[in-house]
Amino acid sequence: MNTALPEMLQCSDLTVLERQRARLKWQEEQFQQQQQQQSYFSELSCAAFSSQTNHVQGFQGGFMGGASGDSVLSDMVMARQVKPDPGLESPWPELGKVDMAAMGFGPCGYGNGPSFDMNHAISRTSSCPPAVAATKAVEVKANSEKMASAVGKESFKKRKVEKLQNSKVVAEDESKRIKACEDEGEESKITGPNTNKSSNNKKEASGDASKENSKVSEVQKPDFIHVRARRGQATDSHSLAERVRREKISERMKYLQDLVPGCNKITGKAGMLDEIINYVQSLQRQVEFLSMKLATVNPRLDFSIDNLYAKEVFSSCTTNFPTLEMAPEMANPPYLQFNPIQQVVPCCGVEMGINSPDMTLRRTISAPVSIPDASFLDSSCLTMHQWSAMQQIQHTAIWDVELQNLYNVAFDQGRSTPPFPSQPFAGSIEASDLKEI
Amino acid sequence: MKRWRTKREHQIYSSKLFQALCRSRRTSSSTSAKELHQTADRVLSITAKGTTRWSRAILAAPLTAGTNMKKHKKAKVTVHTRLRKPVVNREKKKLPVVERKLKALRRLVPGCRKLSCNNLLEETSDYIAALEMQVRAMTAITEFLARGEAQAPTDRLGSIGNM
């Protein structure tokens, strides 16, 4: 008879409620065997226990009350009563305090969501009976003073017992419980203590998890990752940690699979790594080849810049500029400013001197470029130093113009746009100037 | 890793590379491919803003390290190898396949010689994305300059006629 209930408890076929009921009945039998008083049953919820034995009876009475009355609430109260014991570990005279605390717990426990309480209560009650059974055995023989320590230890025992013996059962229970309350049984959460105590903390987290299922980011101790064991999987800390590590690696490999072209059919780490290595080598070779090419193509950058940018203006395949509105009037005064300056600058001046529609357009386009330049220098008194500085700035501005084209060559090949987008072009130049220099 | 795909990053890299090229062009007239390669890599690392290991390794490497050969330990061939009894090394198990490949990958990605598999894969993905961007930018620049070069002689003389 005494062993029937623990076996039943460990049987996973029972539902939680059935188990609870069975437990309660067992408690009742145990109680009756001890021939304790039964008057405390009804007074449980607001009980003031005067004797030590009554306290233990209170446990059982609580279970009894749970069976008869509102099971959840009474169990919750009982759970609360169990909970403060390890915390307080007070001598028996302070029993009243414990009960008050339990009373306090009761009302505040009502405030929580029902599922949370259910979980919590269940977690407590499921672990109580073995401990209570132990204390029962102790009680018969031991002194009343021993009870305090026993009760105090009972909660610890409960955890140890869970950890050592029933880890698998508990994991199954938990996963089942979680499934009953929620949908998912497998999540990896970042909440509390580390995976070494995971089986211990799973119990506490089972209540927390139901609340914080969506709040993955809620971190109490940010360095640790809390992992849940999946159903049917090993639950010791080593295999958990290994599983986390393996999952991380496979996640990274999947990402790499997207990155490296032509890896969709390849499965397995070795093949993937081969592909990755080949791809990295080919990219590096490409870069080397391009640098060689650049070295040969690159005789005189300063010289070719203006020509290049002029060409780029008219190339139709380049443009996808962000459009900023530029008033046409703005083009003219800088144009007027620009003209005398342009004559000083030799390389620009060669083009500027020539009268042609393209040149005009080029000038108007380059004019807005000089706006930031003009703001730097006073155009009325240009010294040689300032001229060279202007030149530099114009050069860089021009480079940016070219580079705008470059980018668009690279990105938007094949897009055809209107040939002379002067205003948006100018606007984008200015934007790039302000941004990048 | 996502950042290497954005246009903005491409622009930043291209402009910086261009400026660096001009600067190096002005300071030294030599245009060795190796130097260019190094410059390009350094600019790429700068664009990475120091968030990845490989970028920091590239920047930390000395500028003239190309000529220094690495200290590869050559196998010392002694005369008496044949006279010795053949050591039974053929049964020596090679490292697991995956490990060998990881080793090879570590050699390829700069600054990742002692990384764990996990971090190595992360660095590799970032490195691959950055390399792709580098290739795109450098092709664009070469194409650009080549086109400019080709058109330069005609432009100087007969721009009116062409346009």
Side-chain angles (χ1 to χ4, degrees), chain A residues 252 279 291 298 308 358 407, chain B residues 11 25 36 118 132 148 163:
Chain A
R252 304 252 160 94
Y279 191 57
S291 68
N298 221 10
L308 298 173
D358 350 323
Y407 317 146
Chain B
Q11 287 179 5
R25 166 76 44 211
L36 204 63
N118 209 343
E132 282 176 353
M163 303 302 167

Side-chain angles (χ1 to χ4, degrees), chain A residues 252 255 259 270 274 277 279 284 291-292 294-295 298-299 307-308 311-312 358 403 406-408 411 436, chain B residues 1 7 10-11 14-15 25 31 33 36 101 108 118 125 127 132 140 142 144 147-149 151 155 163:
Chain A
R252 304 252 160 94
Y255 191 81
L259 216 49
D274 264 337
I277 289 172
Y279 191 57
Q284 285 178 338
S291 68
M292 259 199 314
L294 252 186
N298 221 10
N307 313 325
L308 298 173
K311 297 304 153 288
E312 285 311 311
D358 350 323
L403 292 167
L406 268 180
Y407 317 146
N408 301 311
F411 273 94
E436 294 178 60
Chain B
M1 294 143 229
K7 199 169 181 176
H10 195 261
Q11 287 179 5
S14 309
S15 61
R25 166 76 44 211
T31 51
L36 204 63
K101 302 198 197 275
L108 283 177
N118 209 343
S125 53
Y127 188 55
E132 282 176 353
T142 41
F144 187 66
R147 204 157 13 118
E149 274 256 318
Q151 294 170 351
D155 179 61
M163 303 302 167

Side-chain angles (χ1 to χ4, degrees), chain A residues 321-383:
Chain A
F321 297 107
T323 58
L324 290 178
E325 285 306 312
M326 283 273 298
E329 298 92 294
M330 287 197 68
N332 296 330
Y335 162 73
L336 297 170
Q337 267 184 353
F338 196 66
N339 236 342
I341 296 164
Q342 279 300 316
Q343 287 163 8
V344 176
V345 176
C347 41
C348 303
V350 174
E351 273 82 26
M352 290 307 135
I354 301 171
N355 258 342
S356 67
D358 350 323
M359 288 308 170
T360 322
L361 197 55
R362 195 188 302 169
R363 253 175 283 159
T364 53
I365 289 162
S366 59
V369 174
S370 66
I371 289 172
D373 310 336
S375 67
F376 299 141
L377 301 169
D378 191 1
S379 54
S380 57
C381 52
L382 292 173
T383 63

Side-chain angles (χ1 to χ4, degrees), chain B residues 106-119:
Chain B
R106 283 192 187 101
R107 264 184 268 141
L108 283 177
V109 183
C112 294
R113 291 199 171 246
K114 293 190 181 174
L115 278 187
S116 59
C117 172
N118 209 343
N119 295 329

